[in-house]
Amino acid sequence: MKLYGYWRSSAAYRVRIALNLKGISAEQLSVHLVRDGGEQHKAAYTALNPLELVPTLTLDDELDMDALSQSLAIIEYLDEIHPQTPLLPASALERAHVRAMALTVACEIHPLNNLRVLQYLTQTLGVDEAAKNTWYHHWVASGFAALETLLIRHSGRYCFGDTVTLADLCLVPQVYNAQRFNVDLTPYPNIMRVWAECNQLEAFADAAPERQADAV
């Protein structure tokens, strides 16, 4: 397997955690999202991922039909082919709760604050840095407030009980990004408690952006 990612990409971060938890080896290939206008827009990469986003996971070869995109789809694929250390609970209801928490991050927070959205705000719409940061903080606060409530209902040591799930793989990178943008995280004690618990695990610590080969 080959994982195309970028050290600061929260979506790639999620997949790195999954690979580590399951003990799956994948060659890590960097797609620099800023250099030369963004390597994700180059023809060679677009052939693998028409969305021009990271991550992309290729399997036995690099045929377009074998390239997987979208971090949650990749993680669920890995979970199905390597069912040991499952990332989703056994019951349908519990799986739905875990997915709801994961999607709160992956659908309600991250897309609005992704690099291409922030670049569109500043480079196309002419939004200044202060307004961009206000936008970023607003959507993190909105999503984290909801997620904090879900954790009050469902968390134990981790997002859902005492076992690492897909929800934790989404939460930890989003907290990392929020810290980068100086979001006040004191209103979210359960989020920060779970974040701290996860980062005690080697699989999470080794996936951290600063530990990646392409980190700057």
Side-chain angles (χ1 to χ4, degrees), residues 3-208:
L3 178 66
Y4 294 79
Y6 181 63
W7 68 289
R8 271 186 169 167
S9 162
S10 59
Y13 191 172
R14 299 168 193 157
V15 177
R16 292 196 301 265
I17 298 168
L19 290 168
N20 291 346
L21 285 168
K22 292 180 174 292
I24 301 171
S25 292
E27 181 182 357
Q28 307 273 336
L29 299 173
S30 179
V31 180
H32 201 294
L33 300 184
V34 180
R35 182 187 299 141
D36 299 327
E39 294 176 352
Q40 70 274 26
H41 305 306
K42 306 299 183 184
Y45 185 73
T46 301
L48 289 176
N49 189 331
L51 287 170
E52 301 179 8
L53 297 170
V54 295
T56 299
L57 185 74
T58 60
L59 308 178
D60 295 329
D61 53 46
E62 294 186 5
L63 294 175
D64 295 354
M65 68 182 68
D66 291 329
L68 300 176
S69 62
Q70 293 295 342
S71 62
L72 268 60
I74 293 171
I75 292 168
E76 291 211 33
Y77 168 77
L78 295 173
D79 207 32
E80 290 176 11
I81 65 169
H82 292 273
Q84 64 275 21
T85 317
L87 296 173
L88 287 166
S91 83
L93 178 60
E94 290 181 341
R95 287 197 300 273
H97 284 309
V98 168
R99 286 189 174 111
M101 287 189 278
L103 293 171
T104 297
V105 174
C107 294
E108 307 301 336
I109 303 174
H110 179 241
L112 289 163
N113 289 332
N114 203 2
L115 175 64
R116 63 178 182 173
V117 171
L118 299 182
Q119 287 179 332
Y120 185 79
L121 288 173
T122 56
Q123 297 174 9
T124 303
L125 299 183
V127 170
D128 64 24
E129 193 72 10
K132 182 196 78 172
N133 288 333
T134 298
W135 167 280
Y136 188 100
H137 286 217
H138 171 78
W139 295 114
V140 172
S142 175
F144 272 11
L147 186 57
E148 181 73 9
T149 299
L150 294 176
L151 292 184
I152 291 169
R153 296 174 185 171
H154 300 297
S155 71
R157 185 175 180 183
Y158 303 110
C159 282
F160 193 85
D162 296 323
T163 302
V164 171
T165 65
L166 178 64
D168 301 291
L169 275 61
C170 292
L171 179 143
V172 168
Q174 189 60 59
V175 171
Y176 173 85
N177 277 352
Q179 290 173 327
R180 277 185 60 214
F181 282 83
N182 299 313
V183 175
D184 179 12
L185 297 174
T186 55
Y188 318 111
N190 286 290
I191 287 176
M192 298 311 296
R193 175 183 55 79
V194 170
W195 171 82
E197 286 283 353
C198 288
N199 279 314
Q200 292 183 36
L201 300 176
E202 186 177 356
F204 283 81
D206 286 347

